[in-house]
Amino acid sequence: MIDQILSDGARALGIQLGRREIERFSTYTSLLLEWNEKFNLTAITDPVEIAVKHHLDSLTCLKAAEFGRGALVADVGTGAGFPGVPIAIVRPDLAVTLIEATKKKLIFLEEVRRRLELPHVELVHARAEDVGKQAEYREKYDIVLARAVSVMRVLIEYSLPLVRVGGVFIAQKGPEVDGELAAAGPGIGTLGGGKPDVVRLTIPGTDIGRSMVVIKKLKPTPAHFPRSSSQIVRKPLGTRVG
Ligand code: SAM
């Protein structure tokens, strides 16, 4: 039943899953449930719900923008691997960098990469705002993704410095995004982003709504961004202080 939900849902997103991909999703779900008993990785523990709310939800990113062949993709605050791992499963041509601040999640992701045989996945244990200051990663990615990491005005400073000029940042949000997007507006331009587009869709087979905020990088991010973690959170861009 789960395999069917996954293949039907993926097909609705224009993705044909083969036997090997279905097996990888199944192994991923088993690992998630097994490790969740020791570490708190996800609040969702029903395998059908994992298939829908984690795996298929992650794949909806592929509908929000064009993921060109061989594109460099980063997932900021990937947690237990969402949305980066499902995307890496269905698109072995992409180079996917998973960025995560919590060590125990990295240990889990090492195991996922080994068991699912995903050599095109790179793991980075760091805060995204520190990664964005390093020449090796700064403005290198065609596409940067983030799901459930922070509010937009904070998230843009974690993510936009990693996007190359001409690339895009995609934030996966719930149906209500207009308020937080308006608050982030001035900061997006400051970091080199263009006017956001919002792609609204539902997770296939459900009426669960998603807003995919797509921001194209138009100009380089000024060198003094991203700021320190505490400044980003205490004085988000666009906020009037004093
Ligand atoms: N994206 C995953 C998902 O949708 O299931 C995880 C969401 S979880 C609520 C947020 C994750 O982002 C946590 O694992 C946290 O450690 C990580 N995180 C938060 N801020 C971060 C930052 N600045 N850099 C890297 N990781 C961060």
Side-chain angles (χ1 to χ4, degrees):
M1 180 179 85
I2 295 177
D3 296 356
Q4 199 61 49
I5 291 171
L6 268 176
S7 358
D8 291 350
R11 195 174 310 110
L13 295 168
I15 304 156
Q16 201 64 42
L17 296 184
R19 201 172 50 84
R20 191 70 188 98
E21 281 86 49
I22 295 277
E23 273 169 20
R24 285 190 168 102
F25 277 113
S26 165
T27 306
Y28 187 22
T29 302
S30 305
L31 286 171
L32 201 52
L33 292 174
E34 187 188 316
W35 282 60
N36 212 35
E37 293 186 3
K38 295 176 274 176
F39 303 134
N40 184 17
L41 292 172
T42 174
I44 302 175
T45 53
D46 171 53
V48 173
E49 273 199 78
I50 289 175
V52 174
K53 294 185 183 167
H54 282 326
H55 301 333
L56 288 179
D57 187 33
S58 296
L59 296 181
T60 61
C61 291
L62 295 167
K63 286 300 251 190
E66 179 69 29
F67 284 58
R69 253 199 96 67
L72 305 189
V73 178
D75 179 8
V76 164
T78 189
F82 304 108
V85 169
I87 288 171
I89 291 175
V90 304
R91 290 289 305 270
D93 60 295
L94 303 174
V96 180
T97 302
L98 306 177
I99 301 171
E100 172 52 51
T102 307
K103 182 68 187 166
K104 66 173 188 185
K105 294 183 181 172
L106 256 290
I107 297 169
F108 171 71
L109 292 169
E110 294 275 5
E111 181 67 0
V112 169
R113 183 176 56 177
R114 189 181 71 77
R115 291 279 299 277
L116 272 59
E117 299 176 47
L118 301 172
H120 55 302
V121 169
E122 179 190 11
L123 306 178
V124 177
H125 174 219
R127 292 195 64 85
E129 57 274 37
D130 296 332
V131 180
K133 291 190 190 86
Q134 296 173 31
E136 190 186 345
Y137 299 103
R138 185 179 177 90
E139 304 198 316
K140 289 290 185 285
Y141 292 93
D142 300 301
I143 300 168
V144 174
L145 308 168
R147 183 183 88 155
V149 177
S150 189
V151 291
M152 281 303 294
R153 58 187 191 170
V154 170
L155 193 54
I156 52 173
E157 196 166 346
Y158 293 161
S159 306
L160 274 171
L162 295 163
V163 182
R164 70 164 171 84
V165 174
V168 291
F169 169 47
I170 304 174
Q172 255 190 304
K173 292 282 177 180
E176 302 303 326
V177 74
D178 296 349
E180 64 172 292
L181 195 49
I188 294 171
T190 303
L191 295 166
K195 189 174 174 304
D197 255 350
V198 182
V199 179
R200 295 182 201 272
L201 41 79
T202 53
I203 304 177
T206 78
D207 56 5
I208 303 170
R210 288 279 176 262
S211 303
M212 317 293 283
V213 180
V214 183
I215 300 173
K216 188 161 181 183
K217 182 93 170 251
L218 302 180
K219 293 179 297 186
T221 299
H224 52 288
F225 296 111
R227 296 165 298 158
S228 71
S229 308
S230 63
Q231 276 183 310
I232 294 174
V233 173
R234 274 192 297 114
K235 296 181 189 173
L237 287 172
T239 310
R240 244 181 268 279
V241 183

